[in-house]
Amino acid sequence: MQLKLDNNVSQFADEIEALSGLNLYDCYQCGKCSAGCPVSQFTQESPTRLIRLIQLNQKETVLNSKTPYLCASCSTCSERCPMEIDVAKVMETVRILASREGVKPAVKEVVNFSGAFLDSVKSNGRLFEFGMTISFNLRNRTPLKDAMLGPVMLQKGKLGLFPQSIKNKEKIKNIFNNSSYFEPKEEKKEH
Amino acid sequence: MAYGYYPGCSLHSTAKEYSMSLKAVCRKLNIELNEVEDWNCCGATPAHTTKEELGVALAYSNLVNASKQGLDNVLAPCAACYNRLKNASYAASHSPLLEKRMNELTGGKVEHDIKVFNILEFFRDIYGQDNLKTAIQKPLSGFNVACYYGCLLVRPSKVVNFDDPEDPQSMDELVNLLGAHAVEWSCKTECCGGSHAIPETDIVLELGRRIFSSAQSQGAQMIAVACPLCQANLDMRQEQINKKYKTDFKMPVVYITQLLGLALGIPSAELGLNSHFVSTQELAKI
């Protein structure tokens, strides 16, 4: 990989800190996060490497990495980090930032899944699993994916055929329509 | 005894046997569950990885409802729901700015402190191990169980503040108390891949393979879980794992409430033991 270094190396790490409150300069690449990461074997950039790229201001590479999408949000990394960096939150922050900046997601299936899931919650207040799976398959253009599980689930009564709706749908719509990408931050930490 | 109850979406569909067995156990133990009125989805992983505020607000909205109802505590049997509700409560209590924002988004307020607890916490700390012990009618002797906690019950420990994040014991203690034997194994808190089951199935199959291998090598006959997603990923996908890796796992993946129900003498049909993909016949014979 070719890195383009400039004199403004702190820019991206500062941006991440402003959005998430996480100070990535605390990371000294011990690799503990990547050693425990259950999905690092499936990704190109390990968590350690992704953080190093952030420190080196490689915004484009980071926003186009598959790693934040393949992160399973298990928080093993965050739990074990000796510097108490919430690494899982770094992944989340990068993903949300990429979406806000209109970067095409590196793993579109994961984003399609989230979209299908949240659409279902937005319209009914609760998840309608059957409808969500069909909607995901259509978005993903894999209409028959997991189709063989359907009949058994139906037979065992594990698949509701109709969505459940809550009464106060207006509240849910309000939450969806007015939520911001990032939470407000109290104050910037010194480092 | 009456407690607040947040079932979450899964307990109404893919995890219906979790709900069935929990309700049967509570009936038997005279525990009354008051469902949070008009509860909504906690948002799970898709919400907090899409918009930070959405992930907190969807969960927080349920705490607002619970507060209106005057509930002091809420049992969330789904590990993912438990994690999200705990996170919302933690985030709002640590940031007045965020709390104000959540009040704006949900149009309500959490007026008093509401304790959110998971199923293991509930039976260990609230109902109490001693009370449980006296209620056991049919000890589950002769069964080796791998207690699988997964991620969301124990991590991040700063937020959930429950058990040891690397080597938790609460489910092991419960399983031993029921008369079965909890095996020592290395995958207690390994991730099952969670919501990647649908978009990234291959990852979930590989993680499942590792979990089954570890459980089998330690002589476990079944895996006990307290999370609908862990159950679905390990039970529904077990055949796919066998096909892909040419393995021959036939390991039932049961909810801890099903084991509890059996030990309390509840008939297996009331515990939904016939709803699993992998046969639970051996257990149903108890």
Side-chain angles (χ1 to χ4, degrees):
Chain A
M1 184 193 299
Q2 206 174 5
L3 300 183
K4 287 183 196 142
L5 296 178
D6 54 42
N7 295 328
N8 233 343
V9 284
S10 69
Q11 215 175 10
F12 188 31
D14 285 346
E15 188 180 352
I16 295 279
E17 183 174 1
L19 297 172
S20 64
L22 297 161
N23 172 14
L24 297 190
Y25 292 108
D26 279 345
C27 172
Y28 52 82
Q29 270 78 50
C30 74
K32 217 173 165 185
C33 52
S34 310
C37 175
V39 299
S40 65
Q41 77 175 86
F42 300 98
T43 64
Q44 214 173 2
E45 279 97 21
S46 64
T48 322
R49 193 172 163 119
L50 201 81
I51 291 178
R52 186 71 185 130
L53 287 167
I54 294 171
Q55 291 174 339
L56 293 171
N57 206 27
Q58 304 300 303
K59 185 170 176 174
E60 206 187 316
T61 310
V62 170
L63 294 189
N64 283 295
S65 167
K66 287 184 177 179
T67 306
Y69 300 91
L70 295 180
C71 166
S73 305
C74 77
S75 291
T76 306
C77 47
S78 309
E79 195 66 50
R80 293 180 183 170
C81 175
M83 296 305 287
E84 295 182 15
I85 297 173
D86 189 345
V87 184
K89 193 174 177 184
V90 176
M91 299 299 158
E92 214 171 279
T93 305
V94 170
R95 221 171 118 168
I96 297 172
L97 183 61
S99 160
R100 193 179 75 171
E101 299 209 349
V103 177
K104 210 172 131 201
V107 186
K108 68 174 192 326
E109 292 80 2
V110 172
V111 175
N112 285 344
F113 174 77
S114 294
F117 185 106
L118 294 175
D119 276 358
S120 177
V121 177
K122 189 178 178 182
S123 44
N124 303 305
R126 291 183 190 169
L127 175 66
F128 174 40
E129 287 170 324
F130 187 43
M132 181 269 290
T133 310
I134 292 174
S135 156
F136 167 77
N137 281 350
L138 292 175
R139 282 167 196 242
N140 220 28
R141 298 197 181 128
T142 49
L144 296 177
K145 185 172 184 304
D146 289 329
M148 73 291 174
L149 294 174
V152 191
M153 290 178 79
L154 277 174
Q155 188 205 334
K156 292 184 181 292
K158 298 186 99 169
L159 217 50
L161 287 179
F162 303 100
Q164 286 188 354
S165 273
I166 65 161
K167 286 183 216 139
N168 197 351
K169 286 200 209 172
E170 277 311 303
K171 176 166 87 172
I172 302 301
K173 288 220 162 63
N174 186 48
I175 291 174
F176 269 91
N177 294 339
N178 297 312
S179 289
S180 303
Y181 282 98
F182 295 99
E183 286 166 8
K185 297 289 171 295
E186 311 279 318
E187 60 190 46
K188 201 175 179 299
K189 276 187 286 180
E190 293 294 318
H191 59 79
Chain B
M1 283 192 278
Y3 299 94
Y5 173 52
Y6 177 79
C9 307
S10 294
L11 271 81
H12 281 232
S13 55
T14 45
K16 69 154 195 179
E17 67 271 33
Y18 197 7
S19 162
M20 274 172 85
S21 52
L22 173 66
K23 285 188 172 161
V25 165
C26 288
R27 266 195 306 273
K28 187 92 180 179
L29 298 174
N30 290 321
I31 297 166
E32 195 188 321
L33 298 177
N34 292 334
E35 197 161 313
V36 174
E37 282 166 19
D38 210 32
W39 59 268
N40 59 267
C41 170
C42 70
T45 317
H48 72 85
T49 51
T50 301
K51 277 184 178 180
E52 206 177 358
E53 283 193 343
L54 182 66
V56 186
L58 284 173
Y60 192 82
S61 154
N62 294 298
L63 298 175
V64 170
N65 288 15
S67 169
K68 251 187 234 160
Q69 232 172 301
L71 297 172
D72 295 325
N73 49 50
V74 174
L75 165 64
C78 165
C81 298
Y82 162 73
N83 193 289
R84 293 315 302 161
L85 294 184
K86 279 286 252 200
N87 184 71
S89 164
Y90 181 90
S93 66
H94 283 77
S95 161
L97 201 60
L98 179 70
E99 191 186 2
K100 193 169 155 260
R101 181 79 186 125
M102 288 303 122
N103 294 341
E104 275 168 27
L105 281 173
T106 59
K109 224 175 159 186
V110 179
E111 303 281 0
H112 62 279
D113 189 36
I114 298 172
K115 186 172 162 45
V116 178
F117 43 81
N118 65 49
I119 200 97
L120 300 170
E121 210 170 15
F122 180 72
F123 285 111
R124 186 189 65 183
D125 304 337
I126 316 281
Y127 190 77
Q129 291 178 339
D130 291 341
N131 290 337
L132 264 187
K133 220 171 187 168
T134 56
I136 291 172
Q137 294 181 4
K138 290 184 179 172
L140 309 178
S141 41
F143 285 106
N144 288 336
V145 181
C147 294
Y148 181 55
Y149 300 76
C151 312
L152 301 167
L153 287 174
V154 291
R155 285 190 298 259
S157 59
K158 196 172 76 178
V159 173
V160 295
N161 195 19
F162 167 71
D163 218 329
D164 184 320
E166 296 289 350
D167 185 17
Q169 295 298 330
S170 49
M171 203 191 311
D172 295 63
E173 284 168 15
L174 183 55
V175 159
N176 287 332
L177 187 131
L178 300 179
H181 169 65
V183 302
E184 290 283 332
W185 68 312
S186 58
C187 283
K188 271 182 172 183
T189 61
E190 285 295 317
C191 177
C192 72
S195 63
H196 280 337
I198 294 177
E200 289 293 331
T201 312
D202 281 347
I203 292 183
V204 168
L205 298 184
E206 165 61 12
L207 300 182
R209 185 195 63 78
R210 289 185 211 163
I211 291 163
F212 285 121
S213 301
S214 169
Q216 198 175 50
S217 71
Q218 296 306 105
Q221 290 150 299
M222 70 187 85
I223 293 182
V225 296
C227 171
L229 212 54
C230 298
Q231 202 281 339
N233 284 352
L234 296 177
D235 181 39
M236 273 170 34
R237 309 259 171 202
Q238 205 170 137
E239 202 182 305
Q240 292 176 5
I241 293 171
N242 283 333
K243 215 169 158 185
K244 183 170 180 193
Y245 295 103
K246 298 191 172 49
T247 48
D248 190 25
F249 301 121
K250 287 191 190 91
M251 207 176 277
V253 184
V254 295
Y255 288 105
I256 187 69
T257 43
Q258 292 178 308
L259 293 182
L260 187 53
L262 285 171
L264 294 175
I266 300 169
S268 63
E270 285 178 42
L271 300 169
L273 275 162
N274 52 0
S275 307
H276 297 248
F277 274 59
V278 177
S279 170
T280 57
Q281 227 174 355
E282 284 302 304
L283 259 171
K285 279 186 204 155
I286 292 177

